[in-house]
Amino acid sequence: MAEKELHTDYDMIVFTAPSGAGKTTVVKHLLNKYTEKLGFSISATTRDRREGEIDGKDYYFLSVEEFRVLIDEDKLIEWEEVYPGKYYGTLKTEVGRMLETGKKLLFDIDVMGAESIKEKYGDRCLAVFVKPPSFSILVNRLRDRNTESPESFKNRIKKVKREMTHEHSFDYVLLNDELEDTLRNAEELIKNHLS
Ligand code: 5GP
């Protein structure tokens, strides 16, 4: 795990990664482990709901029209068209609500969005890049996940290539090779910032 500098006063922790690198698994693990101290920033998205996902828990699933209203009314801290026609964004209300509870806010967002949050909140925000062991392993993981159409799979791979070059924008690089080790390292990292 690469470390740039140590702060303990973050109130936001952003996990980002190229698609398929395993960040959602890491984020879910941390939320289970530190339920009392961490809150999840539920994003808005226009992508279809996957099996098992719950509206208002995993995401707020919106139509493109509803999402446009959020943009027009300036209700998003950041938003990206992560895949063609698929919008994702962080709601101002989510951040406000969670910070009021005194919990640290955990984000699971794409690389561009994470860069925006880091730029906006600077030292209040710990930004962690989850790195897959290699590009080909990541492609295989994404294929095994089998959640994408061929077209969407192609788009994701294109994006992954671009995102793999951005790890240096973040405070920590967390290598996700063996999941057990990654989860332990993530716990250690977060524990240091929860005290
Ligand atoms: P998925 O469709 O697999 O849930 O997510 C696709 C990508 O969108 C992931 O990298 C996820 O972290 C990212 N994402 C989720 N919510 C947001 C958000 O609010 N803003 C941005 N920029 N990306 C997001």
Side-chain angles (χ1 to χ4, degrees), residues 15-20 23-24 40-45 47-48 50 53 58-59 67 76 78-83 86-91 107-114 116-117 145 147-148 156 159 163:
F15 275 83
T16 193
S19 189
K23 75 173 171 316
T24 304
F40 182 55
S41 167
I42 304 165
S43 295
T45 184
R47 81 145 160 79
D48 292 338
R50 295 185 190 132
E53 285 182 330
D58 297 286
Y59 282 106
F67 198 93
L76 298 170
E78 62 75 39
W79 63 272
E80 297 287 333
E81 186 177 4
V82 175
Y83 302 108
K86 307 293 177 203
Y87 297 88
Y88 294 74
T90 304
L91 290 150
F107 298 81
D108 171 346
I109 60 179
D110 89 324
V111 173
M112 301 300 290
S116 300
I117 298 267
R145 199 165 82 177
T147 52
E148 311 305 318
R156 284 194 178 229
K159 187 166 144 59
E163 292 174 335

Side-chain angles (χ1 to χ4, degrees), residues 27-67:
V27 165
K28 286 196 168 146
H29 174 79
L30 292 172
L31 286 167
N32 277 333
K33 176 96 192 170
Y34 301 115
T35 313
E36 303 301 316
K37 299 201 165 172
L38 294 174
F40 182 55
S41 167
I42 304 165
S43 295
T45 184
T46 66
R47 81 145 160 79
D48 292 338
R49 197 165 59 82
R50 295 185 190 132
E51 209 182 312
E53 285 182 330
I54 298 169
D55 187 26
K57 179 166 180 276
D58 297 286
Y59 282 106
Y60 298 109
F61 293 98
L62 305 180
S63 66
V64 173
E65 291 68 30
E66 288 170 323
F67 198 93

Side-chain angles (χ1 to χ4, degrees), residues 165-178:
T165 64
H166 282 240
E167 67 175 68
H168 304 291
S169 307
F170 300 100
D171 301 310
Y172 288 84
V173 175
L174 181 67
L175 179 69
N176 185 14
D177 191 353
E178 292 298 325

